[in-house]
Amino acid sequence: MTATGLVESKLDPRDATYSAVIPAGEPWMHEIRQGQYFRIVDLHGNQAVDTLFYNARDVSDRYSAQDTIRAQRNIYLTTGTRLMSTNGTVLLTIVADTCGRHDTLGGACANESNMVRYSLDKRHMHACRNSFLRAVIESGDMDKRDITSNINFFMNVPVTPEGKLTFEDGISEPGKYVEMRAETDVLALISNCPQLNNPCNAYNPTPVQVLIWNGQPN
């Protein structure tokens, strides 16, 4: 499947009410209020951004890959995708996307998967699940049971005709972004992936930027 759904945003980064740079390998957690716009910017290109979303008023109502895929009848995410929760809540809608395709099947890297996929000596390497665990524990309101199947923004994970997943070179470039409108109060959790063993980060994890705007674009 080629990149589709390419739509640029009307929002100006200078008007954002919140901006932060997430270093490679680090977690980030922040609430996005209903009606706000949330953008993730791939600053250097081909950086995988593992992301989870929760209903901020009930974190047990969280992003569901299965319900999102079923609702849009597509395994990839892009402009127009509604990110569905386990309780059928529309958490966010993708309203702009200059990359064109994002993975919802590949999951988050972990110490165990590093060992199984690559070699025993890779087990010690930092992984997204570590970052997710660190963030939820520091929050004080969640634990490891709240870490479920995540979105991999900017990550290229084709599905073969046999139904297998492959991790390929990214299709993103420096400055590409994906932007969402929060349809309810949402808690966003990001692990800016530290993976060094496959091409999802071009073997070179880099920082990304997150921005939030209030209200409608001009």
Side-chain angles (χ1 to χ4, degrees):
M1 179 178 175
T2 57
T4 59
L6 298 176
V7 174
E8 293 190 7
S9 172
K10 297 179 180 179
L11 293 170
D12 189 330
R14 294 172 295 184
D15 297 328
T17 58
Y18 176 91
S19 175
V21 172
I22 309 172
E26 290 297 310
W28 174 87
M29 182 182 285
H30 195 85
E31 184 172 335
I32 306 162
R33 296 192 302 275
Q34 184 178 17
Q36 288 186 321
Y37 288 78
F38 172 55
R39 182 186 296 179
I40 306 173
V41 184
D42 187 1
L43 292 174
H44 298 278
N46 290 346
Q47 173 61 24
V49 185
D50 292 42
T51 307
L52 288 163
F53 293 112
Y54 305 84
N55 184 331
R57 304 299 157 241
D58 176 10
V59 295
S60 68
D61 185 28
R62 56 179 69 95
Y63 165 74
S64 167
Q66 297 93 324
D67 291 289
T68 299
I69 291 168
R70 182 167 55 246
Q72 67 168 3
R73 301 175 66 85
N74 195 323
I75 61 174
Y76 301 113
L77 312 180
T78 188
T79 305
T81 296
R82 298 185 304 164
L83 303 180
M84 307 298 296
S85 78
T86 50
N87 290 346
T89 305
V90 182
L91 297 174
L92 306 101
T93 301
I94 299 179
V95 294
D97 182 11
T98 60
C99 176
R101 191 177 80 184
H102 307 272
D103 169 62
T104 194
L105 296 177
C109 58
N111 296 130
E112 294 79 7
S113 63
N114 282 340
M115 177 180 64
V116 171
R117 288 176 180 168
Y118 308 114
S119 67
L120 291 174
D121 63 351
K122 306 295 185 183
R123 190 179 194 280
H124 73 281
M125 297 180 72
H126 184 62
C128 283
R129 186 165 176 82
N130 301 69
S131 293
F132 283 148
L133 280 169
R134 173 180 152 195
V136 299
I137 289 170
E138 289 177 355
S139 77
D141 297 319
M142 296 188 288
D143 59 34
K144 63 182 181 181
R145 290 174 297 181
D146 295 300
I147 301 172
T148 55
S149 298
N150 59 283
I151 298 167
N152 293 308
F153 286 113
F154 309 111
M155 193 166 166
N156 185 22
V157 185
V159 178
T160 70
E162 296 76 29
K164 296 182 179 180
L165 303 182
T166 62
F167 295 88
E168 304 294 343
D169 291 338
I171 58 174
S172 185
E173 298 174 351
K176 297 291 187 182
Y177 59 82
V178 58
E179 186 175 294
M180 292 152 271
R181 180 182 62 242
E183 307 297 358
T184 189
D185 293 341
V186 170
L187 184 64
L189 171 57
I190 283 175
S191 168
N192 193 22
C193 185
Q195 184 58 253
L196 291 166
N197 298 295
N198 71 50
C200 70
N201 294 337
Y203 303 100
N204 179 36
T206 54
V208 297
Q209 184 181 25
V210 289
L211 302 109
I212 297 173
W213 291 262
N214 292 327
Q216 296 287 335
N218 295 325

